[in-house]
Amino acid sequence: QVQLVESGGGLVQPGGSLRLSCAASGFTFSNYYMSWVRQAPGKGLEWVSDINSGGGNTYYADSVKGRFTISRDNAKNTLYLQMNSLKPEDTALYYCARDQSWGRGEYDYWGQGTQVTVSS
């Protein structure tokens, strides 16, 4: 069955960095767009970033552009999110999600999430 397992979250000071990973299994990872989506405390879901199936095209929300980098290793079935210059407003539960709609944001599988807390 399809599984997405995120890791790499934690507590970091403002200005710090974290790298999130999402290990995928149960499907042909290289056939799908993948996304990172986050949910801050008390708020709704916010799309963060997309990457196409081959990894050559990436897309970012304005709130993270220039600070976050999405990437993937199709040989390892793993999605990444490198987060630099973290701000308190980046505090959220971060999910990876499989996009079944070639980048149109129709997600059919989600991981359990990994918590990122940015605080001094």
Side-chain angles (χ1 to χ4, degrees):
Q1 71 278 21
V2 173
Q3 284 195 315
L4 299 170
V5 180
E6 301 96 335
S7 61
L11 174 63
V12 63
Q13 291 187 341
S17 297
L18 283 174
R19 188 174 84 150
L20 307 184
S21 299
C22 172
S25 61
F27 66 103
T28 305
F29 181 68
S30 58
N31 284 354
Y32 288 86
Y33 275 68
M34 296 295 296
S35 300
W36 288 99
V37 180
R38 68 186 181 185
Q39 186 167 29
K43 296 190 177 180
L45 293 170
E46 178 189 15
W47 170 75
V48 174
S49 183
D50 279 346
I51 188 167
N52 73 333
S53 55
N57 294 317
T58 57
Y59 310 89
Y60 299 94
D62 287 345
S63 58
V64 307
K65 199 172 294 182
R67 300 187 298 121
F68 289 11
T69 303
I70 191 171
S71 63
R72 66 192 296 162
D73 185 335
N74 285 344
K76 295 183 178 179
N77 291 343
T78 303
L79 176 72
Y80 302 100
L81 185 69
Q82 177 67 44
M83 305 186 296
N84 298 329
S85 303
L86 283 160
K87 305 175 181 179
E89 52 264 43
D90 294 318
T91 295
L93 189 60
Y94 283 73
Y95 299 96
C96 68
R98 189 178 83 167
D99 190 326
Q100 62 172 340
S101 59
W102 297 93
R104 293 195 300 273
E106 297 173 12
Y107 307 119
D108 57 353
Y109 287 95
W110 298 74
Q112 83 289 349
T114 186
Q115 178 68 41
V116 172
T117 302
V118 184
S119 174
S120 55

